[in-house]
C-alpha cells in the first residue's frame, strides 16, 4: 500500500477537525457562500460571523440587496474594514439579477465576469457552493503549498499562475473530493501552518512536508512588517465614514471637519471616499453615503 499523500492527510484531518463555521453548513446557499468569501478576504473569521448573519438576514437573496441602496450596504458593512467591498458586493448582486435571473452562476467564467469577484472568489464559490474542481488559492494556501511541496519558507508576495498550477496538481480528480481538499488546504493554513508560528509538531502533513524535511530553512529576505493603521489615510477615511454611517441625512462639511485636524489629509480621505463610490456630495456644503435617502420624519 502506498504512503498517504499530502492531500489525503490534510483532507482526512479537515474532516475530523474543521472549525464549525456557519457558511460550511450543508444547506447554505451559493449567495451566502459568496458573501462569506468576500467578507473573509480581509477580515478575521470572528468579526465576519455576526456581520455575515446580519447581512443574510436582511438580504437573503441577491435580488434583495440589488433593490436596496449602496448607502444601506455601506451601513450594514459597519466596521468590517475595506468598505468598498460593500459597494462592489451590491454591484455584484445587481449583475446577478440582470444577467442570471437572481441566481448565483455556477460557471467559472460567469463568476469571473461579476463585479468585484476576482480569481480567488470565483473559484471559491465554484468549489464550495457547487462542488467543482478548481484550485482555490488564497494567501494561506500559497504558503502551505510553498512549504509542504516546494520546501520554501513562504510564498511570494502575489499570486502567480504557477501557484494555481501547483495547487491544482494536488487536487484529487473527483470534483467533490477536490473541493474538500481545497477547503482543507485553506483551513490548514489558517489554523496550523500559520505565517509566523507554524505548529509543525501537530500538523497532519508533518511526515510529508518538504520544508519540515529540509530543516525549516529561514526566509532569505526581510520579514514583512504589519501594516500601520494609526495616522494613515485609511484611519481618516474610517472616521469620516463612521460619521456618515450614523447620520440619517446629509452631513454638513463642518461636522466632517471635526473628525481629523489635518485639513490636507482629511480632504484627501474624503475625496478618496467619493472616488471609491462610498460617499457623494448632497449639495455644495454637505455629504452623504452614496444613494442615501433621508429618513422621513415620524
Ligand atoms: S509540517 Fe509545518 S510547514 Fe509543513 S505544512 Fe505542516 S505546519 Fe506547515
Amino acid at each position: 500500500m502506498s504512503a498517504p499523500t499530502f492531500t489525503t492527510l490534510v483532507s482526512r484531518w479537515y474532516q475530523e477537525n474543521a472549525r464549525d463555521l456557519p457558511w460550511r453548513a450543508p444547506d447554505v446557499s451559493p449567495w451566502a457562500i459568496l458573501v462569506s468569501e468576500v467578507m473573509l478576504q480581509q477580515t478575521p473569521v470572528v468579526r465576519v460571523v455576526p456581520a455575515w448573519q446580519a447581512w443574510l438576514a436582511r438580504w437573503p437573496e441577491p435580488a434583495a440587496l440589488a433593490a436596496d441602496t449602496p448607502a444601506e450596504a455601506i451601513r450594514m458593512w459597519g466596521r468590517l474594514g475595506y468598505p468598498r467591498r460593500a459597494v462592489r458586493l451590491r454591484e455584484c448582486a445587481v449583475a446577478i439579477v440582470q444577467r442570471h435571473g437572481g441566481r448565483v452562476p455556477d460557471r467559472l467564467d460567469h463568476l469571473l465576469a461579476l463585479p468585484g469577484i476576482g480569481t480567488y472568489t470565483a473559484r471559491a464559490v465554484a468549489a464550495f457552493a457547487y462542488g467543482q474542481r478548481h484550485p482555490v488559492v488564497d494567501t494561506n494556501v500559497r504558503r502551505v503549498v510553498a512549504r509542504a511541496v516546494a520546501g520554501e519558507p513562504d510564498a511570494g508576495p502575489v499570486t502567480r499562475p504557477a501557484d494555481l498550477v501547483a495547487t491544482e496538481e494536488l487536487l484529487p480528480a473527483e470534483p467533490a473530493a477536490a473541493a474538500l481538499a481545497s477547503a482543507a488546504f485553506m483551513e490548514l493554513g489558517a489554523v496550523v501552518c500559520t505565517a509566523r508560528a507554524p505548529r509543525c509538531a501537530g500538523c497532519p502533513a508533518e511526515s510529508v512536508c518538504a520544508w519540515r524535511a529540509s530543516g525549516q530553512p529561514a526566509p532569505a529576505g526581510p520579514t514583512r512588517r504589519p501594516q500601520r493603521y494609526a495616522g494613515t489615510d485609511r484611519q481618516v477615511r474610517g472616521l469620516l465614514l463612521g460619521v456618515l454611517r450614523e447620520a440619517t441625512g446629509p452631513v454638513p462639511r463642518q461636522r466632517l471637519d471635526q473628525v481629523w485636524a489635518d485639513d490636507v489629509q482629511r480632504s484627501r480621505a474624503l475625496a478618496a471616499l467619493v472616488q471609491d463610490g462610498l460617499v457623494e456630495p448632497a449639495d455644495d456644503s454637505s455629504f452623504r453615503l452614496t444613494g442615501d435617502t433621508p429618513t422621513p420624519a415620524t
Side-chain angles (χ1 to χ4, degrees):
M1 196 175 74
S2 59
T5 64
F6 171 80
T7 302
T8 306
L9 290 167
V10 178
S11 296
R12 199 180 293 155
W13 164 83
Y14 177 79
Q15 285 175 296
E16 290 165 8
N17 296 281
R19 289 169 294 173
D20 183 17
L21 301 177
W23 43 84
R24 289 177 174 166
D27 57 344
V28 168
S29 72
W31 168 242
I33 289 173
L34 187 153
V35 172
S36 77
E37 291 297 342
V38 171
M39 289 183 169
L40 285 164
Q41 274 169 36
Q42 284 150 311
T43 309
V45 164
V46 67
R47 290 175 56 206
V48 166
V49 171
W52 178 82
Q53 288 166 331
W55 189 278
L56 290 161
R58 177 158 181 183
W59 299 306
E61 301 291 340
L65 175 56
D68 220 327
T69 61
E72 283 308 296
I74 298 163
R75 278 207 178 87
M76 280 295 284
W77 197 259
R79 298 186 177 280
L80 281 184
Y82 299 98
R84 207 168 126 65
R85 290 182 289 169
V87 176
R88 297 293 277 161
L89 193 48
R90 184 186 164 278
E91 290 170 1
C92 177
V94 170
I96 289 171
V97 170
Q98 291 174 345
R99 300 176 199 168
H100 304 288
R103 180 180 178 275
V104 175
D106 58 1
R107 275 177 47 175
L108 184 61
D109 58 340
H110 289 171
L111 286 162
L112 283 165
L114 293 171
I117 302 299
T119 302
Y120 165 78
T121 311
R123 285 176 168 75
V125 172
F128 305 144
Y130 294 114
Q132 297 174 13
R133 183 184 186 278
H134 297 288
V136 183
V137 181
D138 68 352
T139 308
N140 286 336
V141 172
R142 288 195 304 121
R143 183 175 59 253
V144 166
V145 174
R147 286 176 178 166
V149 178
E152 305 282 347
D154 212 338
V158 292
T159 302
R160 302 158 307 157
D163 295 321
L164 290 178
V165 174
T167 306
E168 181 160 23
E169 286 173 355
L170 294 171
L171 297 180
E174 201 270 311
L180 185 133
S182 291
F185 299 162
M186 291 179 66
E187 185 79 344
L188 190 76
V191 303
V192 178
C193 193
T194 57
R196 296 214 186 131
R199 295 192 292 109
C200 300
C203 175
E206 187 188 10
S207 61
V208 296
C209 174
W211 190 52
R212 185 75 162 157
S214 64
Q216 295 176 246
T223 51
R224 263 177 279 159
R225 290 165 188 269
Q227 285 184 336
R228 185 173 63 96
Y229 180 71
T232 60
D233 284 11
R234 208 178 135 227
Q235 183 188 13
V236 185
R237 287 200 299 271
L239 292 169
L240 291 167
L241 207 56
V243 172
L244 289 155
R245 224 175 20 230
E246 298 301 321
T248 52
V251 177
R253 186 185 272 276
Q254 297 96 305
R255 170 73 189 90
L256 295 174
D257 288 348
Q258 292 166 15
V259 308
W260 196 257
D262 182 332
D263 288 345
V264 172
Q265 192 177 21
R266 192 183 62 247
S267 297
R268 189 168 64 223
L270 186 57
L273 289 172
V274 173
Q275 167 106 32
D276 281 352
L278 293 159
V279 172
E280 62 186 9
D283 54 42
D284 286 348
S285 60
S286 63
F287 291 83
R288 65 186 173 200
L289 296 180
T290 299
D292 205 9
T293 47
T295 307
T298 51

